[in-house]
Amino acid sequence: MSTGHITIDLDAIIANWRALDKMTSVETAAVVKADGYGLGAATVAKALAKAGARRFFVAVAEEGGAVRNAVGPGPEVSVFAGHMRGDTDTIGDLGLTPILNSLEQVTRHFDALPGHPFGIQLDTGMNRLGMEWDEWAAVAEIALAQRPTVVMSHLACADEPDHPMNAYQLDVFHKMTDGITVPRSLAATGGILLGKDYHFDLCRPGIGLYGGLPFTKARPVVQMDLPVVQIRHLDAGEVVGYANSWQATRPSRDRDPISGLRRRLDPVDVRQGHAILRQRTRATYWPRVDGLTDRGCDRPQRRPACVDPAWGSTNSGSTGRRVRHNWLRNPDVTWWALYTPDTRRMKRLLAMIGAATLGGFTTVGRIALFTASTFRHLATQPFYGREFGQALFQIGFLSLPVVGLTALFTGGALALQIYSGGARFSAEAVVPQIVAIGMVRELGPVLVGLMIAARVTSSIAAEIATMKVTEQIDALVTLSTHPMKYLTVPRVLAATLVMPALVGVGDIIGILGGYIVGTERLGFNAASYLQNTVDFLEQRDVISSLVKGAVFGFIAALMGCYYGMAAGRGASGVGAATKGAVVAAAVLILVANLILTEAFFSI
Amino acid sequence: MITLSGITKTFGYNAVLRGVDLHVDKGQSLVVIGGSGTGKSVLIKCIIGLITPDAGQIIIDGQDVTRSGHDKLLHRFGMLFQASALFDSLPVWENVCFRMLRSGQSRGDLRDLAAEKLRRVGLGPDVADKFPAELSGGMQKRVGLARAIAADPEIIFFDEPTAGLDPILAGVINDLIREITTEMGATAITITHDMSSVHAIADQVAMIHDGVVQWHGNIGALDQTDDAHVLQFITGSATGPIPTLR
Ligand SMILES: Nc1ncnc2c1ncn2[C@@H]1O[C@H](COP(=O)(O)OP(=O)(O)OP(=O)(O)O)[C@@H](O)[C@H]1O
Ligand SMILES: [Mg+2]
């Protein structure tokens, strides 16, 4: 047996919560940060929710999901780290309550999720998290007007009841919060034990729930069965582990559980291939996690109090609602994670890369399905003629000014470029021909396509996304109207049909721009300029231009519709949809342009 | 007419419905009450087919629509959305008569029909040519109501029909809903937070809490019940089994 395992007694966690709850007359939350101090946040939270806990605290927003999932929508799940950049969606979607720690977070929260619940953390001297005097003075009025769920602070030395820091922090907390009508919270496990003065409106024990100090009367929660790889003899003064983190004060006996335990957990020995002693030991052990500004990969608590040797006995009779962890397979157990490379972080990174890749494929797949569905609805009745007519007008007619202007100036600039570039090898005379080819084959369709992506795609996406978030799309469905038929088909069809015309106009005006510059600035003869242009252009050039136009129009409208229909909730959903649609349309138009150019002109 | 069994729906981590069982007879008016955010709107959207439940069965008029879909039934439904959901690109009268726009009737006739429906919800004919954005919230709500009843549907869903209305208009709307069910024999499911509406509209009352139907009974039984959830809801007390932080 070379792996150990740990037994977690959920009943004991519940009993500890109840015991701590009994010590106060106020509400008692439960802190399940750091994955429930390594014991599985979801499992612990679920058990405590059943026992009656209505508020949970986690360290960071990512942890909120598991807890929200476990406890359902009712209970409050608060996040100590507050509203960090990039957390908005998580906080909003999961209904988390960020405990805002700074002016910056307050601003971010009010901007991104107005009306969404939040708490406030103040710093009363620990210098870990929270706002200090000046910051708090600046935002207090605005923040309190929004009714935070709690205003809290954290005690630095609550484990030591006599420490003067406790009274000092209590005093500061009073000064910072007296007179406000929002619930206040100062006490974690240690604070509860300090007495009534520290309880305020809400207590939030963490370590005590898991049987850790300073809650000495706690029921042990975690029991570890683990094999000892090697037992060392230590003389007084000998040191142990990385950075000599522990020094023996007395000679150890042969089977000192402490050195045994330490050695077993330090993988160095295993790698160096020391002799392995097959001896089983059992120890009761309280893992300890130090929250947010952790000193990185710290050791578990060093106090011998956390090791309770009970030699020789075999596995505990695990009964009832106990959950068994195999801690080699389940690196969630905190102290195991502390002693090994951070496999969870690597896993998470891999998972993120995987998810992003999958997400990309999913989008491509969804767009393909959406396209197929557009064609299906195009082919079947009913067809909404009025909407089609309006779309023609919107996309075609109203785009003419912008198309004309872009083409005119680009055509003119093109003529200048070709003239000065051509002069390097005495080819100034080809200006009319190159302008014609450049505009018709390439610049006309691409420019018009991109302008349409900017103008039409964005407005389609914004319009449909707004309809989505204001439930107008749902309303269409209840009125027996298929949104694909009513919204997508008319727009996509109109764009596909009208874009060749727009491109044609763009081509002509572009050539006109070249003509104006050519005759006015570069001294070309007006009649021969036009003659050259007409003679030089082939039918294939023009057809390719119009086909490109149709394809780009299809892409532009389709992207607008797809991203609009796929919009998330709220105003940010509309913004994201518009952005996504324009970017996708522009990129796809350029890709399609390359493919079509290859198809038309590769021979 | 409508029977739900074991409907569940979860959004991400948010288990909104956790096994809803409900039944409404033809011609009956069911009122659904329950705290904000308990999933009443989601429930209605499941019945009408806008949201697909994760599990459970919905039977409407003998047809199991959970699998076969709602398409064939949609013309018998009417729905008022909580936020009205008017089409803001269309004038009010086209919103009201949206269903009939393609029925071949002349636009003039339809406009008159719209004006008639608007009158029933207490809106004058001048409103007909305005655009939704030009109306107040309560007016939009009433246009939404007119749209929901315009085609004389057999099954109607009202999501908070009187929210945002003054007491006089709320009374008018309550009467209208009552009338639609008693005179036209329609089946109605109404969500409301307004206890006077409950008494005016309901034959049956169902209270949703924690994702299930916490209490279900006749309107007469509502005031007799000793169910703690219902009592807290009726009295609007801050203390009780329903937490105020939601
Ligand atoms: N499309 C959705 N995506 C994600 N979550 C949703 C969605 N629709 C509803 N929810 C969530 O489901 C829960 C119930 O919403 P619902 O709109 O049904 O509440 P309600 O009971 O109608 O409340 P109210 O009385 O305030 O209207 C809410 O927590 C809401 O955030
Ligand atoms: Mg609702």
Side-chain angles (χ1 to χ4, degrees), chain A residues 54-55 65 68-69 72-74 76 94 382-384 386 470-472 474-481 486, chain B residues 13-15 18 45 48 50 74-75 77 79 81 83 85-88 90 94 98-99 102 107 147 243 245:
Chain A
R54 301 300 293 173
R55 285 201 202 201
R68 174 59 78 209
N69 198 10
E76 187 178 298
L94 299 174
F383 176 72
Y384 289 89
R386 267 179 84 83
T470 55
E471 298 185 320
Q472 293 179 50
D474 286 347
L476 276 179
V477 174
T478 66
L479 294 166
S480 313
T481 305
Y486 185 79
Chain B
Y13 293 106
N14 186 355
R18 308 182 185 182
K45 287 183 190 166
I48 204 168
L50 294 172
L74 278 172
H75 67 278
F77 288 160
M79 166 135 187
F81 285 83
L86 301 179
F87 305 123
D88 30 41
L90 301 180
E94 286 192 34
F98 190 83
R99 229 182 234 290
R102 302 175 47 79
R107 287 171 73 80
R147 180 174 73 182
L245 262 177

Side-chain angles (χ1 to χ4, degrees), chain B residues 41 82 159-160:
Chain B
S41 299
Q82 185 165 3
D159 198 342
E160 308 199 5

